[in-house]
Amino acid sequence: APEYRPFFGPDIRLQLNGNRSAAGQITLDRLDLSADALHLSGRARISPQGWPELLALTADITPRDGADVLLPLSGPATRLNAARLKLDYDAAKGDGWALDMALDGLDRAGLSLQHATLSGAGDLLRGTDTALGRVTGQATLAALGVHPQDAALATALGRDIRAALRFDWTQGQALRLPSLTLSGQDYTLTGTAELGGLTDGLKLIITTDTTLTADNLTRFAPLAGLPLSGAAQLAVTGQVEPLSGQFDLRFNGGTTDLALDQPRIDPLIAGAGQLALHVSRDTTGTLIDALRIATAQATITGSGALRTGASQLTASARLRQ
C-alpha cells in the first residue's frame, strides 16, 4: 500500500535458511531482512510445541530520511521515529533470557511518547507434554514524554514515568506482576498487578492492588472528577483501561491537608485524616459511589456523578465540637 512505501522502500532483501522437521521443530539458521526503514537479523529454533529453544535477534527501525515512519501494523495507525531491540536465549546454555529495547517518537491513537527504554532478564521454562510453559523475570522501564490522549490520565501520570517490576506469565493466563514500583514526578506506586488483554488488540486491562504515596493530589483531580489537593498515602485496588481512560478504583488510607476547593469544607478536612473513595469512569462520565473523609474536625460522606452538562453531587457532614 502507498502509505507503507517509506517503510519498505523499493528494495527489500530477505535471506533465510531454515527447515521444519517431521516432528514439527522449526530451525532458522539464518534470518536477514533489510528494507528502507527496517534491518533485522537473527537465528531461532522453535520446539514442536511452539516454545523457543534458541532466540538470537537484533533489529532496528530507522527511517531513511530521519523523520517518523508508519509501521505496517493492523489497527490504529502507529508511527515511530526509531526502535532498537536485542534478544538472547539459548536453552542449550540454560533457561536464562535477556532483552534490551528502546523506542523513540512513538505515536499511536490514544498514546504517544518521546523515548522509552526497557531492559529485562529472567527464565523461560518450556512446557512438556500437557504442561503449560512459563516465563519469569525482572525488568526496568523508563518512559519519557508520555502523553495519553485522555487528558485526565495524562495529568495523573505526568510526562516521565519509571518502573521496576518482577513478572510471571504462564501460557494462556494474564501477565502477573508480583512486585511493582511505578514512580513519577511527585508520586510512587508500589504493590502487585495483573495485565490482561495483551493479545486482544492491545485492549489492555490492569488489575491492581497497590499503595500510592502522592505528595500532590492535584494531579489526580481530573481523573477522580474532584478538585483535590493535599497529600496522601492510599491503598488502591481495582481496574484501569489505559487506552480508553475507563477505570473502577477504590482508595483507602491517610491524608494530609486534604482540600476540595470548598471554603466551608476545606477547614474541616485539613490536617491528618482518613479517606475512603470508590470512583469509576466509563463512556458516560465519572461516578462517585462512596466518599468518606474523617478528620479531627468532622466526618464527611458523599456521592454523585460527573457528566457533561448533567453533574450531580450530594454530601453530608457531622461536625465535632
Side-chain angles (χ1 to χ4, degrees):
E3 60 267 29
Y4 297 129
R5 289 173 187 168
F7 181 86
F8 291 108
D11 186 10
I12 304 171
R13 297 179 181 273
L14 172 66
Q15 292 181 314
L16 173 65
N17 297 329
N19 65 79
R20 184 180 187 276
S21 70
Q25 178 174 280
I26 298 173
T27 301
L28 299 179
D29 296 313
R30 180 182 180 183
L31 170 62
D32 289 300
L33 176 62
S34 177
D36 259 20
L38 172 67
H39 299 277
L40 181 150
S41 63
R43 298 181 299 126
R45 187 168 61 253
I46 310 299
S47 73
Q49 293 75 33
W51 279 87
E53 296 179 347
L54 170 68
L55 292 173
L57 178 67
T58 60
D60 68 86
I61 297 175
T62 307
R64 182 179 293 273
D65 60 5
D68 61 5
V69 66
L70 180 65
L71 301 184
L73 301 176
S74 62
T78 302
R79 306 192 71 89
L80 191 67
N81 284 348
R84 297 164 298 280
L85 179 145
K86 183 176 181 181
L87 173 63
D88 288 303
Y89 168 72
D90 189 348
K93 298 179 180 179
D95 295 325
W97 61 267
L99 170 70
D100 287 293
M101 184 172 66
L103 297 175
D104 290 306
L106 176 68
D107 189 359
R108 178 184 172 90
L111 177 67
S112 65
L113 62 85
Q114 293 177 356
H115 178 71
T117 58
L118 173 66
S119 61
D123 292 329
L124 192 158
L125 308 171
R126 294 164 296 155
T128 57
D129 297 328
T130 60
L132 298 178
R134 183 182 178 195
V135 182
T136 65
Q138 54 279 327
T140 58
L141 168 71
L144 310 179
V146 179
H147 185 68
Q149 186 177 28
D150 183 84
L153 184 61
T155 300
L157 291 176
R159 295 288 290 174
D160 299 335
I161 303 170
R162 300 183 185 278
L165 54 89
R166 291 189 296 108
F167 62 88
D168 188 337
W169 178 76
T170 299
Q171 187 178 8
Q173 300 180 15
L175 174 63
R176 295 178 52 250
L177 307 179
S179 174
L180 167 68
T181 300
L182 177 72
S183 60
Q185 181 178 352
D186 49 21
Y187 65 89
T188 301
L189 190 72
T190 59
T192 65
E194 284 192 0
L195 280 68
L198 293 173
T199 60
D200 187 19
L202 288 180
K203 295 180 180 178
L204 181 63
I205 299 176
I206 302 175
T207 303
T208 179
D209 184 358
T210 52
T211 298
L212 171 68
T213 301
D215 298 329
N216 179 15
L217 289 174
T218 302
R219 70 166 54 253
F220 300 103
L223 192 64
L226 294 169
L228 294 171
S229 62
Q233 185 175 49
L234 303 170
V236 184
T237 58
Q239 288 189 338
V240 178
E241 298 181 27
L243 295 183
S244 69
Q246 299 184 40
F247 60 85
D248 188 333
L249 295 171
R250 294 182 182 271
F251 299 82
N252 289 278
T255 62
T256 304
D257 296 328
L258 183 66
L260 297 172
D261 196 27
Q262 297 292 328
R264 295 184 178 182
I265 296 177
D266 290 351
L268 303 177
I269 59 178
Q274 293 293 313
L275 169 68
L277 171 65
H278 179 203
V279 58
S280 59
R281 185 180 182 185
D282 57 21
T283 56
T284 65
T286 300
L287 180 66
I288 302 169
D289 289 331
L291 169 65
R292 184 180 186 276
I293 305 169
T295 67
Q297 295 79 31
T299 298
I300 299 172
T301 59
S303 62
L306 303 175
R307 300 183 177 96
T308 302
S311 295
Q312 183 179 9
L313 294 171
T314 61
S316 62
R318 177 175 294 180
L319 307 184
R320 299 181 179 88
Q321 295 182 346

